[in-house]
Amino acid sequence: MAASIDRLANKLPVFRRQLHQHPELSGKEYATTAYLATQLTAAKIPFRLGKGKRGIITKIVPGSNAKAPVIALRADIDALPITETNTVAYRSKNSGVMHACGHDVHSAILLGTTLALHRAGPLPVAWRSIFQPAEETGCGASEMVEQGAVKGVDAILAFHVDPNLPVGQVSITPGPQSAFCQDFVIEVRGKGGHGARPHNTIDPIAVAAQLVTLIYAAVPRQTDARDPVVVTIGAIQGGQAPNIIPDIVVLKGTIRSFDETVSNNARETIERLCAGTARSFRAKITPVIDRLLHGGSNDSIVTENCLKAARNLFGETSVKTSRRPSMGAEDFADYPIPQCMMYLGVKSPGKKVTPLHTSSFDIDEKALLLGVRLFTRILLEWPM
């Protein structure tokens, strides 16, 4: 296995940079899928394309033991609507689109792992790879599940890059990892008119401002302080001129919590505030709240298997086990089987952190080979 991985070492940055230069938004991952498919086809690895030629599910490779568990490895392949400001030679060529969340890294690692495992022959466990579209919009995992990606699969593993961890370190923690998430859009419809005569209008800007204040005050005051919840309004859109009161204002926001009941209560509070504010101001307020994206939690047994392999590979001190749950969302939780999300250090020594979802995000590419080695080590050492 080590020899198979070493032969791929020089190819991993090539894979990653090709993907980084040609990022695609959720729902449009056609060229990304085609590039990955070309690499798999050249290696004669059986696979099928996801619906609409987005995403890839490889065929399950049987283990050396007929009763071996089936382990899936997953990478997300979509990018973000961000204009890259890095000046590296491999910067994004697609205007306004960037791999600012490391999905190019995840995909390159999984591609390298898939090639290495295929060359190595039968493993103690059975396995398959899943290259998943549309993680950023929270619907890609459920799409893959509907297409049978985890049928007959016993557990699923994934990496997420962590720019706060130095390259050579990994964080693997049992229990909750990511938040339950519901995004929402609220349309506030009033009656426009001249800015000098607001009494002749129903000012949707005034209504929206009151609604934001109420949401920010009411949700935390109606939630047990021991249950974290965050409601953020990330966009307010309305109006075109300083002296014209518009007809419509649109609010866009998100609800985050570690508990499904808390999330649902926050949603109900927002809906109740919308109805009450509409009556108070004689406006029409229409909230549209997306389906609940489940919070992710690492299975204790699966996580322990990953931890043992990571410690054997990196050493005890390089494996962190006390990562606090993030209010960030990740649709990996939609895979309805035991799972483990691992966080791979990608920070270069001596360099400042470049946060995820920013225009200057980049990684130390030494992490690519380490990711492949850890994925393969976990499968090789999986207990039977």
Side-chain angles (χ1 to χ4, degrees), residues 101-124:
C101 199
H103 295 188
D104 54 333
V105 181
H106 305 163
S107 298
I109 288 174
L110 183 54
L111 178 57
T113 301
T114 305
L115 296 173
L117 292 175
H118 179 72
R119 292 174 181 174
L123 303 180

Side-chain angles (χ1 to χ4, degrees), residues 42-302:
K44 299 181 179 180
I45 297 175
F47 66 90
R48 57 187 170 93
L49 296 178
K51 289 184 178 179
K53 297 184 179 180
R54 296 167 46 249
I56 291 174
I57 304 167
T58 69
K59 184 178 180 180
I60 292 176
V61 179
S64 55
N65 185 329
K67 296 182 179 180
V70 181
I71 312 301
L73 307 176
R74 172 268 203 177
D76 32 18
I77 66 175
D78 54 331
L80 287 161
I82 293 176
T83 299
E84 183 165 12
T85 57
N86 293 318
T87 57
V88 292
Y90 53 86
R91 71 191 304 272
S92 172
K93 293 183 177 180
N94 293 349
S95 179
V97 186
M98 178 190 174
H99 273 297
C101 199
H103 295 188
D104 54 333
V105 181
H106 305 163
S107 298
I109 288 174
L110 183 54
L111 178 57
T113 301
T114 305
L115 296 173
L117 292 175
H118 179 72
R119 292 174 181 174
L123 303 180
V125 297
W127 62 278
R128 86 163 1 142
S129 296
I130 301 170
F131 295 89
Q132 179 208 303
E135 187 278 326
E136 294 293 351
T137 54
C139 59
S142 58
E143 288 179 13
M144 293 284 100
V145 171
E146 290 171 2
Q147 296 171 51
V150 293
K151 184 178 181 180
V153 175
D154 297 293
I156 187 167
L157 313 177
F159 283 126
H160 202 298
V161 296
D162 187 340
N164 297 296
L165 273 182
V167 67
Q169 294 187 11
V170 64
S171 178
I172 307 174
T173 305
Q177 298 298 301
S178 59
F180 287 82
C181 172
Q182 285 184 289
D183 291 342
F184 59 83
V185 177
I186 300 173
E187 181 185 272
V188 180
R189 182 177 291 274
K191 177 184 176 184
H194 199 294
R197 293 181 286 277
H199 59 286
N200 291 329
T201 75
I202 299 174
D203 186 346
I205 292 180
V207 177
Q210 183 67 27
L211 182 58
V212 171
T213 300
L214 288 171
I215 290 171
Y216 281 179
V219 171
R221 300 304 291 178
Q222 296 182 19
T223 304
D224 190 320
R226 295 167 294 183
D227 295 323
V229 62
V230 172
V231 178
T232 294
I233 307 297
I236 301 178
Q237 301 166 342
Q240 296 181 348
N243 63 339
I244 300 174
I245 293 173
D247 290 312
I248 298 173
V249 168
V250 175
L251 307 178
K252 297 180 180 180
T254 187
I255 305 167
R256 306 293 175 100
S257 173
F258 295 133
D259 183 89
E260 184 170 1
T261 299
V262 172
S263 293
N264 288 333
N265 288 343
R267 183 201 70 233
E268 291 169 2
T269 297
I270 290 172
E271 291 173 335
R272 187 168 61 250
L273 293 172
C274 287
T277 305
R279 286 194 299 272
S280 298
F281 284 87
R282 297 180 293 113
K284 180 179 180 181
I285 302 179
T286 307
V288 177
I289 301 179
D290 291 347
R291 75 174 182 90
L292 182 67
L293 184 65
H294 289 89
S297 185
N298 282 349
D299 178 82
S300 59
I301 296 174
V302 174

